[in-house]
Amino acid sequence: GDLMEKAKEKGVKLMLPTDVVLADQFKNDANTAIAKVDQINGEWMGLDIGPDSIKLFSEEIERSNTIVFNGPMGVFEMDNFAAGTLAVSKMLAKGTKERGATTIVGGGDSVAAV
């Protein structure tokens, strides 16, 4: 809550996922489901952002001039949980190339994803 408030006070849009790809195990071939972030329960874990979040993030990146990408969207090392990271990475590259957006990528895993 406090970080969100600080961002808002400074006019910074801090985005978080609205839905996730759930898995019942930390394995590429795990059973999966899509859920809203407030519906994660039991033994299931969120391993990637969901399709609504990909759309939301893509729309925001398309209109942004400065983007900070600080961490992969999911466990991109596993093919079944890489869609969010790959989609966001492609949108960042497109925004930088086509519009000259400033994109800041932080962290080793993020750099590897891009």
Side-chain angles (χ1 to χ4, degrees):
D2 190 42
L3 182 60
M4 297 293 281
E5 297 223 2
K6 285 181 182 179
K8 187 175 181 179
E9 288 171 9
K10 297 193 179 285
V12 174
K13 189 163 194 174
L14 180 62
M15 298 188 65
L16 298 173
T18 57
D19 65 333
V20 293
V21 178
L22 297 174
D24 63 349
Q25 298 178 59
F26 192 75
K27 293 175 23 180
N28 190 50
D29 61 351
N31 294 310
T32 62
I34 307 292
K36 297 294 181 191
V37 294
D38 59 356
Q39 297 174 337
I40 302 171
N41 59 45
E43 299 296 315
W44 291 70
M45 60 192 93
L47 296 185
D48 197 6
I49 60 173
D52 290 346
S53 295
I54 291 172
K55 183 176 186 289
L56 179 72
F57 289 4
S58 294
E59 289 170 351
E60 192 63 34
I61 289 168
E62 285 178 356
R63 19 176 212 267
S64 297
N65 294 319
T66 304
I67 305 117
V68 178
F69 181 51
N70 190 29
M73 304 292 106
V75 185
F76 72 95
E77 299 88 349
M78 294 184 203
D79 291 342
N80 288 333
F81 306 106
T85 299
L86 295 175
V88 169
S89 296
K90 287 177 184 175
M91 290 301 301
L92 294 173
K94 180 180 175 184
T96 300
K97 182 178 180 179
E98 293 180 4
R99 295 189 328 278
T102 300
T103 301
I104 302 163
V105 179
D109 285 344
S110 300
V111 172
V114 175

